Amino acid sequence: MLTGRRYLLAFTAEQVAYAERVGAACRAVWNTALEQRREYRRRGGFIGYVEQARQMAEAKKDPHCAWLADAPSHTLQQTLRDLERACKTHGTWKVRWRSKSRTAPSFRFPDPNHITVRRLNRRWGEVRLPKFGPVRFRWTRPLGGTIRNATVSRSGAGWHISFCVEDSVSEAAPNGMPPVGVDRGVAVAVATSDDEVWNQEFVTPGEAVRLKRLQRQLSRSLRVHGRNRRSGRRDAARAALARLHARIHDRRADFAARTAVRLVRTHGTVVVEDLRIRNMTASVKGTIEEPGRNVRQKAGLNRAILAKGWGGFLLRLEHTARYHGAQIVKVNPAYTSQACHACKHVARESRESQAVFRCVACGHQDNADVNAAKNILAAGLAVTGRGDLAIGRSAKRQPPERPAA
């Protein structure tokens, strides 16, 4: 199976500057190619990867585009391949631009023949990348397989390299463990149908105060000093804010990994809701002509949902299940939080608060998230006559009656 290995790079000052230039070149190629695709669509035409790669090779010969020739060719070609895949999956008009301020620089080396890794000592390893030369990284775990490609990216804690590794491990056979339903919530991160509740605060009170202070400092700092000079105070505030966000992100990822391993080790089937997180966290600000309602309350709910890391938890759950013989089943989330698990009565009034569920029909009382997890499990185990799960019900077909002899 394919898996990932992520390590912290120890770039030199020259390598950091070059990595920034390569990331900027890949971002420019992405945005230019995306605009070109949209312009072709406006005119009723089409342009794909092959033609765009040819035009990019021609552009490298232009002295005004020397910055293209400065970057490794494979990283630019891979950027065009990623754009091709994104446009085929989501559509040309739904693919997003890559912003200089909001998108962290990232680029991939797709050819494993150009990637050489060796271990220096107990704590350090070295990787050779095209046009970068030897780069040291912290050896925190063995690679455990054959390298397929490598991605270099920048986060708040610095630059990292992620190796896509083929670990030669086959997917585990079903473990035969009992099933479980999982509800992802805001007050509680994870609740199961076994009456277990797992939660963790990823931001300490002191960090929350410091987070607000840094955000205030960033908004008040000057963007530019003069024509060609950057604001040192603004850069320092952004770097401190990025380090704090990276620390919070690492805690969230660690919680998701530990919780996912606990679930797939003790259960054969894990049933979760098929949530559309992007739609759930969309803004309701509206327009000037039609302003939204309860905008501040919805913004707070969106931040609470994103802070719990629902998407990252599901991704980790699906990845870990392959190694422990568990199956991940997604069900329709409709009314799972409003239905009573005991009598199946559906009423919004039964959800008294974020944590308390009391059925208005039968009086059954339970933790609201645990009650929802039990409904999710029941929906996942509901099977139609054709054997498919509840999220994709097909028409029930009975075998035809045999004629009498």
Side-chain angles (χ1 to χ4, degrees), residues 95-115:
V95 177
R96 297 185 176 183
W97 304 95
R98 291 187 174 179
S99 170
K100 180 180 179 180
S101 59
R102 297 184 179 181
T103 305
S106 175
F107 45 91
R108 183 181 305 165
F109 297 91
D111 192 351
N113 296 324
H114 295 168
I115 305 169

Side-chain angles (χ1 to χ4, degrees), residues 43-120:
R43 300 178 181 180
F46 173 79
I47 187 172
Y49 163 76
V50 176
E51 178 61 22
Q52 288 186 322
R54 187 193 67 80
Q55 293 183 9
M56 184 177 65
E58 292 292 332
K60 287 183 178 181
K61 302 176 183 178
D62 190 347
H64 297 89
C65 297
W67 52 274
L68 277 176
D70 184 44
S73 299
H74 286 183
T75 60
L76 302 179
Q77 294 171 1
Q78 184 62 41
T79 301
L80 293 178
R81 289 193 184 96
D82 292 341
L83 178 62
E84 174 95 358
R85 187 181 303 109
C87 291
K88 287 183 178 180
T89 304
H90 306 288
T92 305
W93 301 103
K94 291 186 178 181
V95 177
R96 297 185 176 183
W97 304 95
R98 291 187 174 179
S99 170
K100 180 180 179 180
S101 59
R102 297 184 179 181
T103 305
S106 175
F107 45 91
R108 183 181 305 165
F109 297 91
D111 192 351
N113 296 324
H114 295 168
I115 305 169
T116 305
V117 177
R118 69 187 184 98
R119 188 169 184 177
L120 301 177

Side-chain angles (χ1 to χ4, degrees), residues 14 20 40 64 151 158 243 250 252 254 316 319 323 360:
E14 294 78 9
E20 292 283 357
Y40 268 76
H64 297 89
T151 302
R243 288 192 296 269
D250 290 343
R252 189 183 298 116
D254 178 71
R316 177 61 63 177
H319 171 75
Y323 293 90
V360 297

